[in-house]
Amino acid sequence: MGRAKYVPSAKEQAFLDTVENPKYDRRIINGLAMFFEHREPDDMKGFYSDAELAALAVLKDTDRDVESRMPVKVTRHYFEMAKNSKPLQRLVKASPDETTDLAGAEDPGHQMDFSPVEGLLHKYEMGLMYVISTCSAHCRFCYREELIARKEVERADGSVAPKGLAQVKEVTDYIRAHNATVAEHGGRHPESGREKLREILLSGGDAMALPNSKIAGWLAALAEAGIESIRLGTKEMAFHPARFDDAFLTMLDNFHATYPEVGFRLMVHFNHPDEFLAKDEDGSYIEDQHGTLQWNPVTRRAMDGVVGRGWVSVENQAPIIKGINDDPDALRIMQRALKRVGVENHYFFCGRDIVAYKAFNVPIERAWQILNESQKGLSGVETHARLSITHYKGKTEVAAVTSDPIPGVAGTENGVLIFKILRNAADAADRGKVCIVGRNPDAIWFDDYEDRVIYDEAGLFDYARVDKKRVEIDEEALEAAVG
Ligand code: SF4
């Protein structure tokens, strides 16, 4: 028996009938084969050196094959910018270093523990949906590599399968049922303690790689199901900004006219100012007569189109990644340039514990120092971004790193790092609680602080799921040692 089909209401259908679906020619290069076989366009020759290609070719079809870890993909627009930018090259070019150490979580953040229906994660008052499993180009450090590379992932019930995509009917049925139960019980779900599911993030992959009709279908169905605010997570503003064209903007306008009560937030993803600022032939940013840095005109038009709606909020969030944006000057330029055109700086992230995270992650304390350094000299409104690291319990801020000992407190000889929980599953019982650990400049994940916890009201190091996993890992290590 096939899946029951979602049937749009007359109001939804009237909106959907207005949507135009242009084709977008991103001139994507998919995979390394074209480079291995020297079939890339002439002006792309040299994007990978012969030595780089030789080093990648020997890994093909081995355990260290970079393409099975994360498919390789780049758009023409991104290539044009990356030609003159080492950080952008590092973002899209595969490198043998990626698979030197394949340690990492197959399901970072144990997301599948919070998946009530396929393709939907419901951890906070916000839900996240996988609506597509690809993007116009692929970031090598992608924290959804398990979805994009279609890897098998263990679910809470022990079954194993690739993560599936959300389906409109299943998701909207779930939202309606959850919210009805919450309403019947005075505003909280009787079992999970969660509030109304009022916000949804369309994620993937990149929802902007879907046609307008699909995006519109999701927007309308979620609005009809009672969602108050919809976010769309995208790196398309960097990969192919021409995607934000009149047809897309008109679709947004028509959605807003049909469902004016529903908020819309575009969560953009810029890692580096080279992704949107214009450069001269010497590779320097172009300034106007007042010293203001100029945007790439295509990106600026796209950004103005979205910000100019007035009712759309646009927020940037990005991880700090080794060799890409672990650079206070680049981050300072980026935060200032984004805020100037109406984009909020929301979060910077410490890299997650994805497979091969050691190739990309900057030590946590270093990431804090980079962001802190980058915000010196910026105005208050330009420095809204916080450094966040995603613990299984929820979004956690790396709030402070100190350098001096605290008199009389053992373990603080080199200073401390303070984590603070920003968001927490269910009813956010632990929001605002902190955890203080002794410094470890090499730490790239929570585990690296396990032996130096000083104070942990947040419970970041006291977690049953982590303990269970650790026992399994220890048992595996023991078996490997004796086997
Ligand atoms: S845009 Fe986001 S989802 Fe897509 S490859 Fe980059 S990090 Fe992954």
Side-chain angles (χ1 to χ4, degrees):
M1 214 169 66
R3 278 184 166 135
K5 206 167 169 306
Y6 179 78
V7 181
S9 69
K11 181 176 168 185
E12 269 175 287
Q13 194 59 54
F15 157 60
L16 295 176
D17 287 344
T18 67
V19 176
E20 275 182 65
N21 267 325
K23 292 261 178 285
Y24 299 98
D25 182 10
R26 298 176 174 90
R27 296 167 64 196
I28 290 168
I29 302 281
N30 236 323
L32 287 173
M34 212 176 247
F35 293 102
F36 286 147
E37 294 158 17
H38 304 294
R39 290 185 289 110
E40 71 273 38
D42 281 349
D43 64 346
M44 280 191 161
K45 294 201 187 303
F47 192 52
Y48 284 92
S49 69
D50 289 345
E52 286 171 335
L53 288 173
L56 290 165
V58 295
L59 303 180
K60 187 123 194 74
D61 301 327
T62 71
D63 291 350
R64 287 196 47 207
D65 189 337
V66 290
E67 289 189 273
S68 15
R69 189 194 71 80
M70 179 69 196
V72 175
K73 200 171 177 187
V74 63
T75 55
R76 166 56 58 164
H77 176 86
Y78 206 79
F79 163 75
E80 292 291 345
M81 296 185 299
K83 273 193 306 199
N84 303 317
S85 168
K86 285 277 170 224
L88 272 53
Q89 287 176 23
R90 167 126 170 93
L91 192 140
V92 283
K93 278 176 65 179
S95 156
D97 306 347
E98 290 171 20
T99 54
T100 306
D101 184 341
L102 289 170
E106 61 169 23
D107 179 26
H110 304 302
Q111 293 183 327
M112 295 314 284
D113 286 10
F114 296 96
S115 181
V117 297
E118 197 67 38
L120 171 72
L121 306 181
H122 182 191
K123 185 168 178 180
Y124 311 115
E125 72 298 332
M126 186 180 91
L128 179 153
M129 289 189 329
Y130 297 132
V131 294
I132 180 170
S133 61
T134 189
C135 307
S136 293
H138 290 159
C139 315
R140 301 312 301 161
F141 60 78
C142 178
Y143 37 84
R144 297 277 165 72
E145 46 91 26
E146 81 288 351
L147 177 76
I148 290 179
R150 313 297 298 133
K151 293 177 185 166
E152 305 224 294
V153 172
E154 184 186 344
R155 284 108 203 291
D157 66 1
S159 62
V160 174
K163 288 185 177 175
L165 298 182
Q167 305 297 325
V168 177
K169 177 151 175 39
E170 284 170 17
V171 166
T172 51
D173 284 353
Y174 173 81
I175 294 169
R176 286 191 170 91
H178 173 84
N179 288 354
T181 308
V182 167
E184 279 162 24
H185 292 84
R188 295 249 179 232
H189 195 283
E191 283 148 30
S192 66
R194 289 187 188 111
E195 295 177 28
K196 178 186 177 193
L197 181 43
R198 58 184 163 80
E199 191 159 338
I200 286 277
L201 168 65
L202 301 182
S203 185
D206 193 329
M208 290 303 293
L210 291 171
N212 288 339
S213 56
K214 286 266 189 250
I215 301 172
W218 273 115
L219 298 183
L222 292 171
E224 290 276 334
I227 292 297
E228 296 172 16
S229 190
I230 301 172
R231 298 189 193 190
L232 188 152
T234 182
K235 196 169 171 64
E236 194 72 343
M237 208 46 102
F239 288 152
H240 189 68
R243 172 70 181 82
F244 297 85
D245 62 353
D246 287 346
F248 174 73
L249 297 172
T250 303
M251 183 275 283
L252 279 189
D253 286 341
N254 290 342
F255 172 71
H256 185 55
T258 313
Y259 300 97
E261 68 286 359
V262 179
F264 184 75
R265 300 185 176 131
L266 194 73
M267 310 304 290
V268 295
H269 176 183
F270 287 118
N271 294 87
H272 193 282
D274 283 4
E275 293 180 317
F276 59 88
L277 291 181
K279 284 181 162 182
D280 62 20
E281 284 175 0
D282 301 331
S284 305
Y285 294 131
I286 299 172
E287 298 179 1
D288 69 7
Q289 71 273 29
H290 305 296
T292 306
L293 300 178
Q294 300 300 290
W295 280 55
N296 174 312
V298 180
T299 320
R300 182 63 194 268
R301 201 175 315 121
M303 190 60 89
D304 285 350
V306 180
V307 173
R309 277 23 244 171
W311 53 275
V312 177
S313 71
V314 185
E315 320 239 356
N316 189 56
Q317 49 184 20
I320 296 179
I321 301 289
K322 203 180 347 181
I324 296 178
N325 58 359
D326 52 344
D327 172 357
D329 293 337
L331 295 190
R332 185 180 306 111
I333 290 168
M334 184 163 88
Q335 291 168 90
R336 189 169 156 183
L338 289 173
K339 183 67 188 177
R340 188 168 57 82
V341 302
V343 180
E344 281 299 332
N345 294 288
H346 185 41
Y347 281 133
F348 285 99
F349 296 113
C350 292
R352 302 185 78 158
D353 57 337
I354 60 161
V355 168
Y357 67 101
K358 289 180 186 165
F360 303 105
N361 287 14
V362 173
I364 296 169
E365 293 169 23
R366 180 78 195 117
W368 182 86
Q369 286 157 345
I370 290 166
L371 182 59
N372 194 50
E373 193 60 31
S374 81
Q375 294 182 332
K376 290 181 180 168
L378 294 183
S379 72
V381 291
E382 289 165 343
T383 53
H384 285 171
R386 292 178 283 190
L387 180 65
S388 166
I389 180 165
T390 304
H391 189 272
Y392 178 45
K393 292 191 84 162
K395 285 245 162 38
T396 302
E397 181 180 4
V398 181
V401 176
T402 70
S403 303
D404 296 326
I406 302 174
V409 182
T412 68
E413 292 71 21
N414 301 312
V416 298
L417 181 150
I418 304 173
F419 293 112
K420 183 171 116 185
I421 293 195
L422 297 174
R423 298 178 72 210
N424 191 206
D427 59 349
D430 291 330
R431 180 182 156 82
K433 291 188 177 171
V434 302
C435 170
I436 303 174
V437 293
R439 294 273 307 266
N440 176 1
D442 299 325
I444 50 178
W445 196 244
F446 290 99
D447 297 5
D448 300 317
Y449 288 109
E450 265 173 7
D451 59 347
R452 54 196 79 195
V453 178
I454 295 166
Y455 174 67
D456 189 14
E457 68 168 359
L460 298 185
F461 293 89
D462 174 20
Y463 188 60
R465 172 73 191 249
V466 174
D467 287 344
K468 179 173 163 279
K469 278 275 163 201
R470 192 172 308 132
V471 169
E472 286 168 7
I473 290 164
D474 288 349
E475 281 172 358
E476 278 168 22
L478 187 65
E479 274 171 30
V482 295

